[in-house]
Amino acid sequence: MHNFDVGPHREYMLQALDLARKSPPKPTNYRVGALLVDARTNTILATGYTLECEGNTHAEQSCLIKLSEEHKIPEENLAEVLPAETVLYTTVEPCLKRLSGNLPCVERILRLKKAIKIVYVGVKEPEKFIGQNTGRKQLEDAGIKVVLVEGMEEEILEVATAGHVP
Ligand code: HJL
Ligand code: ZN
């Protein structure tokens, strides 16, 4: 039976997973896909995947960079243009720390205040690179909901870790 609530979230998460498959394998990161969606109108605002944008970029970061280029405003000012019901779908939960030292995606989301209302994640981040990711709590403490969309964990992790040394 089709589940009214979970259905659209699964669809978006599957799209995010397809995006993740476009990311070139790299042993020191995860291959992730992400979408920013206007939940009121059901429109995709931006798509992104790991290493899509120039440099060592994450999927969520690529969504934000592309929007900032489109609107010609700095990434940190995107709250000015994001619709009231903007939500993020990402196959792996947003990062709290990065081995590279680049700005983590949790901080990118937090600095937009509550422009992103809900973060839908396909899996929690495995502990391989930075240990436990407690970013979820930081987002929730800031009033941003974090929702696990269940049922795709295995495929998401297979894509995320392709090219890793076992
Ligand atoms: C998320 C991504 C991505 C990760 N997580 N949510 N989106 N690559 O696009 C998390 C992992 C970091 C490593 C290495 N991966 O990527 O912890 O080199 O990739 O900055 O810590 O850090 P860099
Ligand atoms: Zn990140």
Side-chain angles (χ1 to χ4, degrees):
M1 184 73 144
H2 190 70
N3 185 317
F4 177 80
D5 240 344
V6 170
H9 302 313
R10 275 187 62 89
E11 285 303 314
Y12 283 130
M13 197 55 78
L14 283 170
Q15 284 196 53
L17 182 55
D18 275 343
L19 287 159
R21 293 183 212 277
K22 294 178 154 187
S23 179
K26 186 177 168 187
T28 56
N29 72 10
Y30 295 114
R31 292 164 82 213
V32 179
L35 298 170
L36 278 170
V37 173
D38 181 350
R40 192 181 65 81
T41 57
N42 240 322
T43 338
I44 295 174
L45 302 167
T47 65
Y49 57 87
T50 311
L51 302 181
E52 180 184 2
C53 290
E54 205 185 317
N56 182 9
T57 49
H58 279 192
E60 306 91 317
Q61 182 185 2
S62 292
C63 287
L64 297 173
I65 289 173
K66 285 159 77 176
L67 269 183
S68 101
E69 284 168 357
E70 187 183 321
H71 291 279
K72 299 185 170 51
I73 57 170
E75 183 191 325
E76 56 269 35
N77 294 353
L78 276 173
E80 292 168 14
V81 296
L82 287 173
E85 291 178 41
T86 300
V87 301
L88 171 71
Y89 290 84
T90 179
T91 56
V92 178
E93 71 179 316
C95 66
L96 179 68
K97 262 189 225 161
R98 301 171 59 162
L99 287 181
S100 63
N102 286 347
L103 188 68
C105 295
V106 164
E107 285 184 37
R108 292 173 192 275
I109 295 168
L110 288 174
R111 73 181 175 178
L112 299 179
K113 306 296 172 195
K114 279 169 72 181
I116 294 173
K117 302 290 185 302
I118 307 177
V119 178
Y120 294 97
V121 313
V123 290
K124 298 199 62 178
E125 179 175 352
E127 297 194 7
K128 181 172 177 179
F129 295 127
I130 53 117
Q132 210 183 359
N133 181 341
T134 54
R136 175 178 188 146
K137 191 179 178 307
Q138 296 204 15
L139 293 171
E140 287 171 343
D141 286 350
I144 297 164
K145 266 174 69 176
V146 183
V147 179
L148 185 70
V149 180
E150 293 179 326
M152 280 165 270
E153 291 90 343
E154 213 175 303
E155 243 185 310
I156 286 173
L157 285 174
E158 199 182 301
V159 173
T161 59
H164 284 194
V165 186

